[in-house]
Amino acid sequence: MGSGGREHALAWKLAQSPLLDSLHAIPGNPGIAEHAHCHEVALTDHDAVIALCRAHAIGFVVVGPEAPLVDGLSDSLRAAGLAVFGPSRAAAQLEGSKGFTKDLCAREGIPTAGYVRVTDLATARTALARDFARPVVIKADGLAAGKGVTIAMSDAEAEAAIAAIFEKPGGEAVIEEFLDGEEASFFVITDGANFVAFGSAQDHKRVGDGDTGPNTGGMGAYSPAPVLTPELEAEAIETIIRPTIDGMAKAGTPYSGVLYAGLMLTRTGPKLIEYNARFGDPECQVLMMRLEDDLLDLMRATEAGELAGRAAPRFGARTALTVVMAANGYPGTPETGGAIGGIGAAEATGAKVFQAGTRRSDGGIVAAGGRVLAVTATGASVTEAQAGAYRAVDRIDFPTGFCRRDIGWREVARERD
């Protein structure tokens, strides 16, 4: 289920499973169509999705994006007797409501930034003036496609961010203290009681080189993230991951699927920034490039509640790095319809090009969204993987697109030193 670069990476990896009979995608994209039969059905139409699954004798469903999970698609599918990889609507609140997650952290003693939840503009302004220094982090409570977070450096920026959230009725926000440190993404697969680690990555949220400009859904990533050392990973598991899984089960909303923790590595240890209820995009692309085990087998064991005693999946030793090519205008209104060429030439370098916002037009591929391609390569180091990814990027002809030219820059600098 889904049509982005994350779903292309999942389809590519699922297609490699010896357990697979046939693969279908709703709605898919031209890249996914290389591995799956694609169907134009709205993910919001649960009855139509169920009818299509029954028509094609689907035995297992993987829900890729967050919006269908928060909308309860996995619940509808399970009620219809289908096996699903993905959390329930109640469990997906870990991503669907930042306030829900912060309250869970408070209950379970999970280290995170100090915060307040606000439901009106006047209370938000009072909290900003009285309780928080600058910079301050302001988050819309619900889903925002990775673009609902403002790090306000000044009173004026804070006022603009909070006013934007409450300009429509029903707005809610979380105001947080700013955490100083380096971010890392950590993934686990859990069946609601047991879990296995599923690797780390570092994303690049800002649109411009040097981490400048507005936040996006992600302009590139690499995996593994050396900054998340084995010691820090073990600490995150004990202080953040395990209490979350136990707390969700205790609350009667057990979480099953992939749990994606955005961590801030502070001087006092890892702290939770936020949870996502699905694979990251573009983190999924680099994780799938490194995964050596059967993804479908792992997902089926997760849905069946059979992770107890299972070893963590194997990942290759090589680093994977992906560069997102976006349409001009992103993260604002993207310029769609631009022709894209050279994907084959890029993949001839040894890279893999995962398609996201694309569609087929007159036999060719054109841009149909903001983030369009995720050009992914591997190497013995971040420096080598970066060189391979940009070598492939330079083979792609996408005149109405752009990309950052510094994905992996922090780790490249550390490797150089």
Side-chain angles (χ1 to χ4, degrees), residues 90-113 115 117 141 174 176 239-255 259-261 272-276:
Q93 288 183 90
L94 278 177
E95 177 166 6
S97 171
K98 294 176 178 63
F100 174 90
T101 298
K102 299 297 281 191
D103 290 350
L104 172 74
C105 289
R107 279 198 316 274
E108 301 299 330
I110 296 167
T112 189
Y115 75 102
R117 297 181 69 174
D141 183 66
V174 172
E176 296 184 358
T239 63
I240 297 173
I241 301 298
R242 195 180 303 277
T244 296
I245 294 171
D246 291 346
M248 292 292 286
K250 186 167 55 180
T253 54
Y255 187 99
L259 183 60
Y260 161 14
L272 180 71
I273 303 171
E274 63 183 11
Y275 275 125
N276 292 312

Side-chain angles (χ1 to χ4, degrees), residues 141-233:
D141 183 66
L143 297 179
K147 293 174 279 189
V149 178
T150 298
I151 300 174
M153 306 302 293
S154 65
D155 291 348
E157 287 181 304
E159 171 62 26
I162 207 71
I165 291 172
F166 290 105
E167 67 182 359
K168 296 180 181 179
E172 294 188 28
V174 172
I175 303 173
E176 296 184 358
E177 68 170 325
F178 176 79
L179 294 177
D180 190 26
E182 192 165 346
E183 290 188 39
S185 302
F186 181 54
F187 300 82
V188 300
I189 305 288
T190 175
D191 60 13
N194 307 288
F195 64 90
V196 292
F198 199 82
S200 64
Q202 277 195 300
D203 186 19
H204 297 64
K205 285 290 187 187
R206 300 281 187 169
V207 72
D209 286 7
D211 292 332
T212 58
N215 273 340
T216 72
M219 294 300 294
Y222 61 91
S223 174
V227 69
L228 188 63
T229 64
E231 294 76 19
L232 288 173
E233 182 177 309

Side-chain angles (χ1 to χ4, degrees), residues 331-347:
T333 302
E335 180 179 347
T336 60
I340 302 166
I343 291 177
E347 293 191 332

